Amino acid sequence: MNDDFAPATGIGSLPGHDAREAAKTATGSFEDFPFLPELPARGPGADMIGRTAGMLVELYARVEPSGWRLGDRPGRDTKRARAWLGEDLDALEEFTQGYQGPLKVQAVGPWTLAAALELRGGEAVLSDPGACRDLAASLAEGLRLHLAEIRRRVPGARPVLQLDEPSLTAVLRGQVRTASGYRTHRAVDRQVVEATLREVAGAHDGGPVVVHSCAPDVPFALLRRAGVAGVSFDFSLLTERDDDAIGEAVEGGTRLFAGVVPGTDTALSDPAGSVMGVRTLWRRLGLRPELLAEAVTVTPACGLAGASPDYARRALAHCVRAAQSLADNPE
């Protein structure tokens, strides 16, 4: 068993506004792989872009009608984002007293951030290669500080850094729209994308980094070359085109964070049914069944911000039971 990970965890976002309630849910649901919850319902600064913008070093962002835009100094939006993160860390610290083991924290990755953040003129950072480099360097430094704070507050934790990259495939394919909406930004060279991801992942100083995307066509091979330890994805979006890349990832030691539990309210099947597709994939790839428990962490398909609080709790508990089903009956 890889000590960096455990059989099940959450993605990041939860419904509601109460940091203590969210931390209680995240730590109580996953006793061996809790995560730092995000509560985007609180408003700007608690959303994924604003929260990560608040972590940047020597770069500041504010809310404009069109979204988050870089500015010259920290304003109230930056301060609000940092205050909410501090509140979340206080709550996490309270519910992880004496905890030892992996603990997942999430931030937006450099390419989704570059696609979402605007330069002063209103165009995306993605439009300017130099600005992309500056943003990645600022993010890496901010993540170093954030991870150091996690270690200080939860001394027994082994932090796992998750970089959320839902826009990664669009960046690689030149599908991110310009501010006017009439054109798209040029595709970014794959080697540049890979090198930047490697640089930002390096902020964890050799600790495990997972990249999460609940978009189709996750670039498994590129992420492996960038040195990430795990890839988190919506299992329902896989096609047989992904088979070879997934087989190579598993055989190369990459952890699969398989999102098999829907992220919004629905009737949940029995736990064994939720991971039936994972077993089918394993057979199709000819992988050894005993590898399953070592190679797969069961998660929701995406964040749970759009779910009801009751469903969110049930979905997280369902992940734990589904992972147990995989371990008990790998075939």
Side-chain angles (χ1 to χ4, degrees):
M1 175 90 176
N2 187 329
D3 286 344
D4 288 337
F5 306 116
T9 190
I11 292 297
S13 66
L14 290 175
H17 298 76
D18 187 330
R20 289 186 76 255
E21 187 60 37
K24 184 179 175 184
T25 297
T27 55
S29 302
F30 303 109
E31 291 175 3
D32 49 6
F33 200 177
F35 64 97
L36 174 63
E38 301 165 14
L39 299 173
R42 292 183 294 198
D47 60 299
M48 60 187 271
I49 299 300
R51 185 179 180 88
T52 301
M55 295 181 193
L56 297 174
V57 172
E58 293 181 5
L59 285 179
Y60 311 104
R62 64 178 186 273
V63 179
E64 295 286 340
S66 54
W68 284 89
R69 182 174 296 183
L70 293 176
D72 296 326
R73 57 188 169 276
R76 66 165 187 256
D77 298 321
T78 300
K79 289 171 184 160
R80 190 188 300 125
R82 290 176 178 173
W84 272 328
L85 179 58
E87 199 178 291
D88 295 339
L89 289 168
D90 288 345
L92 181 76
E93 185 177 357
E94 179 184 344
F95 286 99
T96 49
Q97 294 294 314
Y99 175 72
Q100 295 191 314
L103 169 65
K104 188 164 68 65
V105 297
Q106 306 82 221
V108 178
W111 293 108
T112 296
L113 202 58
L117 274 181
E118 299 172 359
L119 295 166
R120 289 172 182 79
E123 204 49 86
V125 170
L126 191 62
S127 64
D128 181 334
C132 287
R133 286 192 293 275
D134 291 346
L135 180 63
S138 171
L139 175 61
E141 187 54 37
L143 289 173
R144 267 187 209 100
L145 296 172
H146 182 50
L147 289 161
E149 178 74 357
I150 293 286
R151 291 188 193 98
R152 185 182 71 75
R153 287 172 176 262
V154 193
R158 297 190 300 278
V160 174
L161 172 62
Q162 175 181 303
L163 296 174
D164 292 321
E165 282 284 15
S167 301
L168 184 58
T169 301
V171 167
L172 288 164
R173 292 184 174 172
Q175 294 171 337
V176 177
R177 296 214 160 271
T178 57
S180 69
Y182 295 124
R183 295 185 302 110
T184 54
H185 293 288
R186 186 179 301 145
V188 180
D189 182 272
R190 296 181 82 84
Q191 288 180 314
V192 173
V193 169
E194 183 186 320
T196 302
L197 284 167
R198 191 181 297 112
E199 175 197 347
V200 173
H204 198 3
D205 294 329
V209 175
V210 175
V211 170
H212 167 70
S213 171
C214 44
D217 299 320
V218 175
F220 286 92
L222 182 150
L223 293 173
R224 283 184 58 228
R225 289 196 304 272
V228 306
V231 181
S232 171
F233 55 95
D234 180 344
F235 193 85
S236 71
L237 298 178
L238 289 185
T239 69
E240 292 197 15
R241 286 200 315 270
D242 297 306
D243 279 9
D244 288 348
I246 289 176
E248 286 168 16
V250 172
E251 288 173 344
T254 303
R255 185 85 174 194
L256 302 182
F257 283 63
V260 297
V261 179
T264 49
D265 292 41
T266 188
L268 293 169
S269 69
D270 69 296
S274 293
V275 287
M276 196 187 314
V278 180
R279 291 194 186 92
T280 303
L281 172 68
W282 232 246
R283 284 196 293 274
R284 201 164 71 224
L285 296 177
L287 293 166
R288 291 182 294 117
E290 57 271 24
L291 254 183
L292 258 175
E294 291 173 34
V296 175
T297 293
V298 175
T299 71
C302 220
L304 292 165
S308 67
D310 176 62
Y311 176 80
R313 284 189 291 272
R314 286 190 293 116
L316 297 181
H318 193 85
C319 288
V320 174
R321 290 196 294 272
Q324 189 61 53
S325 163
L326 263 190
D328 293 346
N329 304 297
E331 305 198 52

